[in-house]
Amino acid sequence: MKYVSTNGLAPPVSFREAVMKGQAPDGGLYMPESVPQLPPSFFRDLPDLSWAEIAFQVARSYTEEDLPDDILWQIITEALNFNIPLKQVRDNLFVLELFHGPTLAFKDVGARFMSRCIAYFSGEEGEKLTILVATSGDTGSAVAHGFLGVKGIDVVILYPRGKVSEIQEKQFTTLGDNITALAVEGTFDDCQRLVKTAFADEELHRSMNLSSANSINIGRLLPQSFYYYYAQAQLCDPLARPVISVPSGNFGNLTSGLMAAFTGLPMEYFVAATNINKVFPEYLRTGVFTPRPTIPTISNAMDVGNPSNLARIRYLFGDDVKEMRKKMKSFSFTDEDTRAAIHEVYTTTGYVLDPHSAIGYLGLVKALDNDEKPGVFLATAHPAKFKDVVAEETGKLPEIPERLAACMGKEIKSIPIGKGYEELKAFLLEKGE
Ligand SMILES: *Cc1c(COP(=O)(O)O)cnc(C)c1O
């Protein structure tokens, strides 16, 4: 399997190279040249397969030439060592809980798989590697935890100062060791721009080995597709064609779902649910993509005004918006809607949603519009990560899991930095010496 750039100007590469480079040299994002077709027997047998077996079979079709079976199996069983249960919320509505990893958010899935692939590939080359990543909240902690203590790898995390929750900040700024956090005086889009500029900087590349670890790395996208199959397995009906709602920001999660659908996974269509950063629903409606400045919301991990993975979605559909509309609906919701959903779902069912998952729920309910098809929405963060909003709407503080409580008492060790590129470059060059 070869990987190609969405810009079409860089040569095709192996899975290994796509993961190690992060971004293609022409500024595009790597995608598999074609999405593999999985055999009907795989889909028929899904309900009988374990989470790890499903992940292994899917991963193999993408990585066979670069990861020997025993290594792939080890990476999967280490990285995906937590469950992803499907629960019934009511009637035909199900929630897929993606937040049982160490940082309580779905990005653990991608970050843990990718970090182990990178550790394996760079271990073979014996070179020191710097991972540069921009985060709007959850990527940072997932990547930091994924690489913590991994030899030969330094992680530098850029985040918008004052724009991530206290809990999120504590999760990636208190670790020390090979993890450095830079608090950027700006927005998440500024952080992303800085990272993109660094990757395009040839002088920097000559002085150090840089790789990305945010959602643009194909090594993160791929494992995120595994749980779409696992949701189907847990519905226990190989013929069920669920509607699947994905709370989206940078659109990596949705891209992974689309890839799963293109391999043959039975499903009806996706709902791309956003907060008021609604460039995608606008794009799907008008066919014109207009990036916008980020607007802060209570679902802040989805505050993205210029989603990178749109390039991949366009690639998958040959840039045909009409085709996209057959496979996706998209809606946006305000903070008020989000709060009302947390309140309503809790009072009517007892189920506690975090603000991101609430947007997934809202998107599903709106798309189904009383249709009785099975519907699955993805819960991307544990409610305890957004405990204040959740408590205001449910009247009760969510239970704080042990691993979250532990880091709350630690001291923040981030370095403040401006949003100009030269300052970041000087920092990286000094660090690389
Ligand atoms: C990152 C994140 C999202 C958005 O996922 P994308 O792949 O960027 O669309 C949604 N919810 C939570 C909790 C997140 O951390």
Side-chain angles (χ1 to χ4, degrees):
M1 170 80 63
K2 287 287 177 198
Y3 289 77
V4 295
S5 165
T6 52
N7 282 357
L9 299 170
V13 297
S14 63
F15 176 69
R16 164 204 292 261
E17 213 176 319
V19 166
M20 295 309 277
K21 278 211 167 83
Q23 191 166 9
D26 63 359
L29 309 185
Y30 282 118
M31 276 300 269
E33 197 164 30
S34 60
V35 175
Q37 296 302 297
L38 296 172
S41 58
F42 170 72
F43 294 110
R44 200 183 46 231
D45 296 344
L46 268 179
D48 300 322
L49 299 178
S50 71
W51 168 218
E53 285 165 344
I54 291 171
F56 179 77
Q57 292 209 30
V58 178
R60 210 163 169 272
S61 64
Y62 285 96
T63 64
E64 212 174 348
E65 295 108 40
D66 294 274
L67 292 171
D69 280 358
D70 56 332
I71 300 289
L72 178 60
W73 180 253
Q74 190 187 342
I75 289 173
I76 281 171
T77 48
E78 272 181 40
L80 308 179
N81 63 350
F82 50 91
N83 197 20
I84 298 197
L86 184 82
K87 294 181 179 167
Q88 188 167 21
V89 174
R90 64 162 182 256
D91 311 325
N92 56 330
L93 291 197
F94 297 84
V95 57
L96 186 67
E97 291 185 348
L98 305 178
F99 53 70
H100 295 287
T103 74
L104 309 175
F106 91 96
K107 292 192 180 67
D108 283 328
V109 173
R112 289 170 65 81
F113 181 87
M114 178 196 63
S115 62
R116 283 161 180 79
C117 290
I118 291 178
Y120 171 70
F121 293 143
S122 76
E124 287 204 314
E125 285 160 19
E127 286 177 28
K128 187 174 155 98
L129 186 71
T130 300
I131 304 286
L132 191 59
V133 55
T135 183
S136 58
D138 282 330
T139 310
S141 47
V143 170
H145 283 265
F147 282 109
L148 183 63
V150 175
K151 278 208 182 65
I153 294 182
D154 267 337
V155 179
V156 177
I157 299 168
L158 279 71
Y159 70 102
R161 185 160 144 209
K163 295 193 177 65
V164 303
S165 76
E166 186 196 356
I167 294 184
Q168 288 176 329
E169 191 172 12
K170 287 267 183 182
Q171 283 192 305
F172 60 81
T173 58
T174 58
L175 297 167
D177 199 348
N178 57 335
I179 314 295
T180 307
L182 301 179
V184 176
E185 197 61 64
T187 61
F188 171 61
D189 290 332
D190 289 317
C191 298
Q192 260 195 327
R193 176 182 46 79
L194 285 170
V195 168
K196 279 189 182 163
T197 312
F199 282 116
D201 183 341
E202 291 186 11
E203 190 192 332
L204 194 63
H205 276 285
R206 278 195 293 274
S207 332
M208 61 198 306
N209 266 322
L210 272 187
S211 186
S212 75
N214 57 14
S215 56
I216 67 174
N217 193 304
I218 189 72
R220 279 193 46 194
L221 227 59
L222 194 58
Q224 289 174 184
S225 74
F226 306 160
Y227 47 68
Y228 289 89
Y229 304 85
Y230 190 44
Q232 179 75 12
Q234 292 179 81
L235 280 172
C236 292
D237 174 5
L239 298 178
R241 299 182 63 86
V243 173
I244 303 177
S245 177
V246 186
S248 295
N250 213 15
F251 286 80
N253 204 356
L254 182 65
T255 305
S256 304
L258 288 165
M259 284 163 65
F262 285 174
T263 66
L265 180 68
M267 53 103 46
E268 201 65 36
Y269 59 86
F270 287 101
V271 184
T274 71
N275 61 31
I276 51 164
N277 292 282
K278 54 182 175 189
V279 293
F280 189 78
E282 271 178 19
Y283 168 69
L284 208 56
R285 199 179 62 244
T286 63
V288 180
F289 176 56
T290 315
R292 300 193 191 282
T294 305
I295 307 163
T297 72
I298 55 171
S299 47
N300 63 17
M302 290 158 42
D303 294 351
V304 184
N306 186 6
S308 328
N309 286 296
L310 187 58
R312 285 189 164 119
I313 294 179
R314 294 174 106 158
Y315 174 85
L316 278 173
F317 286 93
D319 212 7
D320 186 337
V321 180
K322 287 202 190 89
E323 285 302 310
M324 290 184 205
R325 288 182 191 132
K326 292 181 192 160
K327 218 52 205 153
M328 290 183 279
K329 294 186 181 181
S330 187
F331 307 110
S332 71
F333 300 94
T334 64
D335 279 355
E336 242 177 28
D337 301 332
T338 309
R339 285 179 175 277
I342 296 172
H343 180 82
E344 184 245 335
V345 172
Y346 179 68
T347 49
T348 58
T349 71
Y351 191 80
V352 183
L353 294 166
D354 97 287
H356 304 79
S357 313
I359 286 179
Y361 165 82
L362 283 165
L364 184 60
V365 170
K366 183 156 179 174
L368 283 176
D369 190 23
N370 292 322
D371 190 336
E372 283 168 15
K373 285 193 188 76
V376 175
F377 66 97
L378 306 189
T380 49
H382 191 290
K385 291 193 89 164
F386 301 88
K387 62 180 181 359
D388 297 339
V389 172
V390 171
E392 280 159 27
E393 298 309 324
T394 62
K396 195 165 104 184
L397 268 179
E399 222 172 284
I400 309 270
E402 186 62 41
R403 55 199 183 283
L404 184 58
C407 78
M408 289 308 288
K410 293 192 191 155
E411 192 195 338
I412 290 177
K413 289 183 242 169
S414 63
I415 300 169
I417 180 171
K419 61 179 173 184
Y421 174 63
E422 289 309 315
E423 198 177 340
L424 173 67
K425 182 171 180 175
F427 175 85
L428 291 173
L429 286 173
E430 192 175 318
K431 199 172 166 51
E433 271 167 11

